[in-house]
Amino acid sequence: APAGQEVRKGLAGVVVDTTAVSEVVPETNSLTYRGYPVQELATSCRTEEVAHLLWHGELPDAAALAALQEAERAQRALEPAVRAALEALPPSCHPMDVLRTAVSVLGARDPRAERHDPDAELAKALSLFARLPAVLAWDVRRRRGQDPVEPDPALGYAENLLHMCFGEVPDAGSVRAFETSLVLYAEHSFNASTFAARVVTSTLADLHSAVTAAVGALKGPLHGGANEAVMHAMLEIGEPERAGAWLRAELAAGRRVMGFGHRVYRNGDSRVPTMEAAFREVAAARGGQRWVGIYEELARVMLEEKGIHPNLDFPAGPTYHLLGFDTAAFTPLFALSRVAGWTAHVVEQRRSNALIRPLSSYVGPPQRSVPAR
Ligand code: SDX
């Protein structure tokens, strides 16, 4: 690298571009999507409304919402050709691999795949947003040995997703808690998976290739995979009384405790209070006090020992568990929601593109010649 330039590993603290999609303000612990505080969106908006806001920059009026819902509901079915491709994957494969494969197959089959105009991009974004819930539900039920449930065009996005996974729509409180998680997971500026999507878009590759890369990035436990790890830990801990000892042992072994810490938020993740409130409501309604006890004890000890706060994955994990999801579905649920954010960034990157290609500082062997043969 040019002399004197310091290496910023992990691009920590480096501003690489502007964005109008969302703003994360660590100082005030706030997150806004197109200017709206996420706490307000999460408790009063539908998933479809927030998707529209991310894609188009405005909350939809009644007509725009109706048009989006009509187009989304018309594309929910899992096409036989896509299902056939997924059937080829062993049931033991990672659920994020199912999602990643589905995005690739949907891209390969989409006649608009290589069209990069905003209308085509937004139509493809909506198509992925509409089609991936049936993929997740198909995988969730296959792992349980259950037949798929057909999508129901009479149901909203969140209710339909729950109905396809469980064969029924739960009570309104459970639906609201689930919808809160989907809104909170939808977007978060230049997180690793979104940045992966922007890197792929910056080469002028297509939207589906960008989302495939994003799914790959989100799978990792330092990112989206953390919500699954949170639940594995809670199940291992079992009782609130054992949480402190478990945590101290993890820290003593130098292991990271998933669900805690964040690259940008240094005094707590702005989304946690809203997700935690939803978690507590679901726990109260479904007899999940044990998980609340473990949650509170882990948060208390982590703050005491490391001064580190929970991130969104921490309350989201046990909420999904109490709603009846298998742990394997947790990160795919995060991905389904984040499709709206990823694709909003793909459109933005393409609008004012510059190839993303950083520098590196060479530390390998000095120049040398191949020995004479
Ligand atoms: C998401 O970026 C986003 O916006 C992501 C996300 C989104 O919406 O897209 O918010 C979603 O990915 C949330 C984060 C989910 N990941 C986890 O829960 C995994 C556990 N978290 C950590 O690994 C960590 O907090 C990161 C990776 C998220 C961020 O870490 P940084 O900023 O790279 O900081 P670091 O790894 O250098 O840690 C600083 C110190 C270290 O101690 P030292 O080695 O300097 O002594 O804090 C420690 C770390 O060991 N630390 C932890 C810890 N997180 C940080 N120690 C134990 N457990 C943890 N969870």
Side-chain angles (χ1 to χ4, degrees):
Q5 265 213 45
E6 64 158 324
V7 169
R8 306 289 293 274
K9 202 166 181 61
L11 292 180
V14 176
V15 178
V16 294
D17 205 340
T18 61
T19 182
V21 181
S22 70
E23 182 181 24
V24 180
V25 185
E27 295 69 31
T28 55
N29 241 11
S30 79
L31 167 63
T32 53
Y33 296 170
R34 304 282 190 188
Y36 290 103
V38 74
Q39 293 84 343
E40 295 175 27
L41 295 169
T43 47
S44 58
C45 291
R46 312 297 309 274
T47 311
E48 297 93 323
E49 293 177 289
V50 172
H52 184 283
L53 172 65
L54 291 170
W55 287 326
H56 302 284
E58 296 297 335
L59 284 167
D61 58 22
L65 178 58
L68 188 153
Q69 286 180 322
E70 184 185 356
E72 187 264 320
R73 296 176 188 207
Q75 301 182 67
R76 287 175 170 173
L78 178 60
E79 294 171 281
V82 177
R83 178 171 171 176
L86 300 182
E87 296 278 8
L89 303 177
S92 59
C93 83
H94 193 291
M96 288 294 274
D97 295 2
V98 174
L99 219 53
R100 196 185 62 221
T101 304
V103 174
S104 293
V105 173
L106 287 167
R109 293 174 50 80
D110 193 319
R112 304 159 301 192
E114 305 312 328
R115 276 184 50 197
H116 294 168
D117 55 290
D119 288 349
E121 297 276 81
L122 289 170
K124 288 184 283 184
L126 177 65
S127 181
L128 271 180
F129 177 76
R131 293 177 184 280
L132 290 179
V135 170
L136 181 146
W138 172 86
D139 186 40
V140 160
R141 294 181 69 87
R142 179 172 78 152
R143 290 172 195 276
R144 288 186 166 183
Q146 297 170 327
D147 290 333
V149 172
E150 289 304 308
D152 182 345
L155 297 174
Y157 178 92
E159 291 90 342
N160 175 60
L161 175 47
L162 290 165
H163 182 255
M164 287 195 293
C165 288
F166 303 119
E168 61 175 10
V169 178
D171 60 281
S174 299
V175 172
R176 186 66 243 165
F178 182 58
E179 193 126 45
T180 293
S181 78
L182 296 178
V183 172
L184 292 174
Y185 266 134
E187 157 64 15
H188 208 247
S189 76
F190 280 23
N191 59 87
S193 55
T194 297
F195 191 62
R198 291 189 76 126
V199 169
V200 172
T201 304
S202 80
T203 71
L204 298 190
D206 66 292
L207 177 140
H208 284 86
S209 297
V211 175
T212 302
V215 174
L218 190 72
K219 176 179 177 183
L222 288 190
H223 188 17
N227 60 13
E228 290 183 28
V230 166
M231 202 62 227
H232 290 312
M234 288 190 168
L235 289 163
E236 182 185 331
I237 291 166
E239 298 298 332
E241 298 68 43
R242 295 172 46 202
W246 179 89
L247 182 56
R248 289 190 174 89
E250 287 299 293
L251 295 176
R255 281 192 290 272
R256 285 170 180 279
V257 179
M258 303 311 173
F260 285 91
H262 197 279
R263 170 60 63 76
V264 178
Y265 292 121
R266 284 314 193 195
N267 297 306
D269 181 325
S270 64
R271 302 161 292 185
V272 166
T274 308
M275 191 65 237
E276 184 175 317
F279 164 47
R280 288 177 183 281
E281 280 169 30
V282 173
R286 293 174 172 238
Q289 289 317 312
R290 173 157 59 118
W291 307 116
V292 173
I294 293 174
Y295 178 95
E296 290 176 341
E297 189 58 7
L298 287 177
R300 185 182 67 78
V301 176
M302 197 61 177
L303 203 54
E304 194 180 284
E305 294 288 325
K306 299 279 280 189
I308 294 180
H309 300 265
N311 57 55
L312 175 57
D313 292 316
F314 191 52
T319 304
Y320 287 156
H321 179 74
L322 285 164
L323 289 174
F325 286 104
D326 297 330
T327 305
F330 289 13
T331 308
L333 285 168
F334 184 161
L336 248 49
S337 165
R338 189 54 60 90
V339 161
W342 288 333
T343 50
H345 280 274
V346 167
V347 171
E348 183 177 72
Q349 177 73 34
R350 211 177 297 281
R351 270 212 187 106
S352 62
N353 187 42
L355 176 70
I356 297 174
R357 198 279 186 218
L359 294 176
S360 54
S361 174
Y362 177 71
V363 293
Q367 186 156 333
R368 50 188 171 164
S369 299
V370 175
R373 304 302 178 95

